[in-house]
């Protein structure tokens, strides 16, 4: 049997668990439409919480992306925005705000050097940057001029006591503060028609010895990944699962399978802000999590 014939015989199907379908139908919808549908099914259900913020599950609201989107709705559609906060609620807010205003997102790893940041900003043609203030120095050193800068602080969603120990970094006067935008603009932005075949994410390949290459994904690509993941996890009940979000959202698996799949099914994401094993085990027990996904290197340390 030749390579083509072997591929067409789909030999991988014999490794599927019982109940996993051989194929799935991918709806022609945008990622934001799937997220909105999950929100409409359970408008008062918590969407995410953080291990650093025990009370956050009761206050995390799905109207925050539209609030930020209202400020950015007049920006040109389809141009990359950059979202680099660490595993924090701000990443989710910024990500969906960009998608809802028709922009494309190119997440950048917070461990990148200023040279790597400059390369990705220039290569993607990014016109706006959203980052934590502790990462702004890398953005400044990159020397790339953008039309919009939004800055957030790690302490914004911490309890009052922990906020006392969070450090604020000086940022330029033209930078917009994320919390100011959320308070200033109501969650009623103009309705923008989104084409499911439009590219919305420029995901860089892992860095090795050369500069990363951007892989363009459309709404349809990501929705296909969501539907495939939902079919693979046959034991999951939408809206009833608790998922420990450990892998970073700037990575394709963390972004598509954990963040998008979890939110678009209406499940609760527990954002892990520390790789500490004790913190992970404590979160599993405290939140009664049903799913924890990690790479082999993470589980061996």
């Amino acid at each position: 049997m030749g390579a083509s014939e072997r591929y067409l015989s789909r030999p991988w199907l014999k490794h599927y668990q019982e109940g996993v379908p051989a194929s799935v139908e991918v709806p022609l919808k945008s990622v934001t439409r799937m997220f909105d549908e999950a929100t409409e099914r359970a408008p008062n259900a918590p969407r995410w919480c953080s291990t650093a913020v025990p009370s956050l599950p009761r206050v995390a609201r799905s109207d925050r992306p539209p609030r930020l989107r209202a400020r950015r709705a007049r920006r040109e559609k389809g141009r990359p925005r950059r979202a680099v906060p660490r595993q924090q609620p701000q990443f989710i807010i910024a990500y969906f705000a960009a998608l809802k205003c028709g922009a494309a997102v190119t997440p950048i790893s917070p461990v990148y050097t200023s040279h790597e940041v400059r390369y990705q900003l220039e290569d993607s043609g990014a016109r706006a940057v959203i980052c934590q203030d502790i990462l702004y120095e890398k953005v400044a050193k990159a020397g790339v001029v953008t039309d919009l800068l939004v800055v957030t602080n790690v302490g914004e969603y911490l309890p009052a006591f922990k906020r006392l120990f969070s450090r604020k970094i000086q940022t330029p006067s033209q930078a917009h503060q994320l919390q100011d935008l959320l308070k200033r603009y109501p969650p009623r932005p103009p309705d923008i028609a989104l084409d499911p075949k439009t590219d919305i994410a420029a995901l860089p390949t892992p860095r090795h010895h050369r500069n990363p290459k951007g892989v363009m994904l459309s709404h349809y690509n990501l929705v296909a990944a969501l539907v495939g993941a939902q079919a693979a996890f046959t034991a999951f009940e939408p809206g009833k699962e608790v998922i420990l979000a450990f892998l970073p959202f700037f990575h394709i698996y963390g972004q598509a399978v954990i963040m998008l799949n979890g939110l678009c099914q209406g499940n609760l994401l527990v954002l892990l802000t520390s790789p500490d094993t004790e913190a992970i085990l404590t979160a599993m027990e405290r939140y009664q999590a049903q799913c924890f996904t990690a790479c082999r290197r993470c589980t061996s340390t």
Side-chain angles (χ1 to χ4, degrees):
M1 180 184 296
S4 298
E5 291 79 8
R6 181 170 175 77
Y7 173 79
L8 293 174
S9 68
R10 301 194 291 178
W12 57 84
L13 293 180
K14 64 183 179 182
H15 301 289
Y16 281 17
Q17 293 183 357
E18 184 178 354
V20 177
S23 62
V24 294
E25 183 177 349
V26 181
L28 195 62
K29 297 179 180 178
S30 66
V31 172
T32 54
R33 180 63 252 169
M34 294 193 70
F35 175 73
D36 289 342
E37 289 175 354
T39 302
E40 292 164 1
R41 288 193 296 269
N44 297 318
R47 294 290 169 234
W48 60 75
C49 66
S50 171
T51 54
V53 195
S55 62
L56 190 58
R58 302 306 168 195
V59 299
R61 304 200 310 269
S62 61
D63 66 348
R64 299 204 170 187
R67 285 177 185 271
L68 181 56
R69 173 193 166 201
R71 167 65 180 83
R72 303 168 62 184
R74 298 189 179 208
R75 296 285 170 179
E76 184 177 348
K77 293 173 59 177
R79 296 311 298 260
R81 268 62 175 172
R82 175 176 179 259
V84 296
R86 296 176 183 177
Q87 208 80 318
Q88 300 286 339
Q90 295 96 315
F91 186 98
I92 301 176
I93 296 171
Y95 186 92
F96 278 96
L99 296 192
K100 280 179 171 288
C101 70
V105 179
T106 177
I108 300 180
S109 169
V111 302
Y112 272 12
T113 64
S114 58
H115 170 75
E116 292 169 315
V117 171
R118 179 174 67 251
Y119 175 82
Q120 190 165 334
L121 288 176
E122 291 178 341
D123 186 59
S124 65
R127 296 181 57 185
V129 171
I130 303 177
C131 68
Q132 288 181 337
D133 53 8
I134 59 175
L135 300 174
Y136 171 71
E137 183 180 1
K138 294 184 180 182
V139 177
K141 287 183 177 180
V144 178
V145 179
T146 57
D147 297 340
L148 178 67
L149 173 63
V150 179
V151 177
T152 180
N153 180 264
V154 67
E156 291 171 353
Y157 292 101
L158 291 177
F161 176 74
K162 290 187 177 182
R163 282 201 299 270
L164 297 176
F165 301 95
S166 64
R167 185 164 57 104
K168 288 191 175 182
I169 308 298
Q170 188 68 28
T171 55
S173 58
Q174 66 268 26
H176 299 277
Q177 297 298 317
L178 175 65
Q179 295 305 312
D180 291 343
L181 297 179
L182 294 177
K183 294 174 183 177
R184 189 183 311 165
Y185 294 92
R188 295 186 298 274
D191 188 23
I192 297 177
L194 299 176
D195 183 358
K197 296 299 180 71
T198 300
D199 289 334
I200 59 169
L203 297 174
T205 55
R207 61 175 184 176
H208 293 295
H209 301 292
R210 298 183 179 180
N211 289 322
K213 298 179 180 179
V215 178
M216 299 304 299
L217 297 175
S218 66
H219 281 280
Y220 187 79
N221 294 144
L222 288 174
V223 169
L226 302 183
V227 173
Q230 292 169 8
F233 295 101
T234 56
F236 277 20
E237 295 185 54
K240 297 183 179 180
E241 309 299 335
V242 178
I243 302 171
L244 294 187
F246 176 69
L247 292 179
F249 292 155
F250 61 80
H251 189 277
I252 181 57
Y253 194 94
Q255 183 181 143
V257 178
I258 299 177
M259 184 183 76
L260 293 181
N261 188 46
L263 293 175
C264 291
Q265 285 200 76
N267 295 323
L268 174 65
L269 296 183
V270 179
L271 309 184
L272 293 168
T273 58
S274 169
D276 180 67
T277 303
E278 188 65 30
I280 294 172
L281 295 176
T282 300
M284 286 182 180
E285 182 177 0
R286 177 177 185 176
Y287 296 100
Q288 297 296 295
Q290 291 86 20
C291 179
F292 171 72
T293 305
C295 60
R296 180 163 39 178
R297 179 179 297 181
C298 297
T299 57
S300 62
T301 57

